[in-house]
Amino acid sequence: MDGARMGWELSTAVVLFHEAVARKLGLSAVDHKALGVITRSGGLTAGALAGELGMNASAVTALVGRLERAGYARRVADPADRRRVLVEADPGNRPDLAGIFADLGADMNAFMSRYDARELATIADYVTRTVEVLRKRTEALQQSL
Amino acid sequence: MDGARMGWELSTAVVLFHEAVARKLGLSAVDHKALGVITRSGGLTAGALAGELGMNASAVTALVGRLERAGYARRVADPADRRRVLVEADPGNRPDLAGIFADLGADMNAFMSRYDARELATIADYVTRTVEVLRKRTEALQQSL
DNA sequence: TATAATACTTCATCAGATTGAATTATTCAC
DNA sequence: GTGAATAATTCAATCTGATGAAGTATTATA
């Protein structure tokens, strides 16, 4: 299997998994994606979230409302600028989400534990660089709209 | 960076890239995902596609119509059973799609070419197993709805 | 051959999310 | 301090895609 095909398979598998998780959590794919962005950022303003997702402010207000009502995120007033609202992930009271990733983590560990340190370093390097490339390409696509 | 965190970053990057591509192509994320499934399968019936995507038949009719009109897929009568419609990817007349993946491929090659055979084998093994796990977990999630 | 089952499509309807304009609260610039 | 700019929200209108029932064509069964 060549590299491109491999990447394609991985991408499709990730996307389908992502959507299955969303459905299980009772979220749309967009909302789940937004939750991913929020979690990764460790908290960001509503406006920044709008920028990341490419949607306008009122759509984000609605989106954050849905996530908040479902218990996946919360709004926190920004102490530095009180016009701003910080959106943070709120994983505390959602054992279902934790459960899904515990299952996935167990499966991943089952084969990851068989790699030696050298192999793990190679994998880490590959993943890190792949993420870099994907981010760069994503940004390029967004620019060119 | 631990394995779980790495996987999480990769997943988010893939999903955001996937959506950016969709937007660039003028497709919704769902339609783009469907196109991925169609391409990966190498052609499948409308019914099978409905099964893969978890939507009903009429939704798939509409979806395939959109992809067909946009030039990304085509319907082919199944010679074995003329009730059936085979849906195939139609990449021929869509240079935009090819262009995006050419750019991505170039970036990927830039660092992939620096791995030796042993490292490439490790990476291939990792990706293959990760895809297996993701597919298994996706199916498990779909079952448990 | 008549009947039932399958595969897809069509159509009307519905639910959901997105948009844009107007509104409120806060901060910045002069 | 006043006016302009910024950040988020609310609301009405709209758009998109999904659903379910009915319809058409084809194949399987008896």
Side-chain angles (χ1 to χ4, degrees), chain A residues 6 9 17 19 23-24 33 40 53-54 107 111 115 125-127 133 135-138 144, chain B residues 6 9 17 19 23-24 33 40 53-54 107 115 125-127 129 133 135-138 144:
Chain A
M6 222 168 62
E9 297 273 349
F17 175 72
E19 244 236 11
R23 220 177 268 211
K24 180 72 178 177
K33 184 190 63 176
R40 196 174 84 74
L53 299 174
D107 279 2
F111 72 83
Y115 293 124
D125 186 73
Y126 165 76
V127 172
V133 167
R135 292 218 186 111
K136 174 183 155 196
R137 283 288 141 210
T138 301
S144 72
Chain B
M6 223 167 62
E9 298 274 349
F17 176 72
E19 243 235 12
R23 220 178 267 211
K24 181 74 179 175
K33 183 190 65 178
R40 196 174 83 74
L53 299 174
D107 279 1
Y115 293 124
D125 185 73
Y126 165 76
V127 172
R129 288 178 195 277
V133 166
R135 292 217 186 113
K136 175 183 153 195
R137 282 289 141 211
T138 301
S144 71

Side-chain angles (χ1 to χ4, degrees), chain B residues 26-50:
Chain B
L27 296 174
S28 73
V30 176
D31 289 6
H32 183 213
K33 183 190 65 178
L35 184 56
V37 171
I38 294 165
T39 303
R40 196 174 83 74
S41 74
L44 75 179
T45 65
L49 185 55

Side-chain angles (χ1 to χ4, degrees), chain B residues 59-142:
Chain B
V60 168
T61 296
L63 184 152
V64 174
R66 290 193 297 273
L67 289 179
E68 203 171 34
R69 249 169 281 126
Y72 294 111
R74 57 167 172 263
R75 288 178 162 92
V76 179
D78 185 339
D81 182 342
R82 288 196 327 225
R83 290 170 303 183
R84 290 199 181 123
V85 169
L86 291 174
V87 185
E88 296 178 350
D90 183 10
N93 53 349
R94 299 300 320 211
D96 46 357
L97 208 170
I100 290 168
F101 287 102
D103 286 349
L104 180 66
D107 279 1
M108 290 297 288
N109 273 330
F111 72 83
M112 290 296 279
S113 63
R114 288 212 290 270
Y115 293 124
D116 63 31
R118 198 191 173 82
E119 289 168 330
L120 287 173
T122 299
I123 291 166
D125 185 73
Y126 165 76
V127 172
T128 304
R129 288 178 195 277
T130 299
V131 169
E132 266 170 31
V133 166
L134 285 172
R135 292 217 186 113
K136 175 183 153 195
R137 282 289 141 211
T138 301
E139 202 174 343
L141 283 170
Q142 281 163 350

Side-chain angles (χ1 to χ4, degrees), chain A residues 23-107:
Chain A
R23 220 177 268 211
K24 180 72 178 177
L25 299 181
L27 297 174
S28 73
V30 177
D31 288 8
H32 184 212
K33 184 190 63 176
L35 185 56
V37 173
I38 294 164
T39 303
R40 196 174 84 74
S41 74
L44 75 180
T45 66
L49 185 55
E52 293 262 358
L53 299 174
M55 33 178 34
N56 76 9
S58 60
V60 168
T61 297
L63 184 152
V64 173
R66 291 193 298 273
L67 289 178
E68 202 171 36
R69 251 169 282 126
Y72 294 111
R74 59 167 171 262
R75 287 177 162 94
V76 179
D78 185 338
D81 181 344
R82 286 193 332 223
R83 291 172 302 183
R84 291 201 179 120
V85 169
L86 291 173
V87 185
E88 296 178 351
D90 183 9
N93 53 349
R94 298 302 319 211
D96 47 355
L97 208 170
I100 290 169
F101 287 101
D103 286 349
L104 179 68
D107 279 2

Side-chain angles (χ1 to χ4, degrees), chain A residues 1-13 126, chain B residues 14 108 127:
Chain A
M1 184 156 60
D2 70 296
R5 175 80 189 177
M6 222 168 62
W8 173 256
E9 297 273 349
L10 180 59
S11 163
T12 304
Y126 165 76
Chain B
V14 165
M108 290 297 288
V127 172

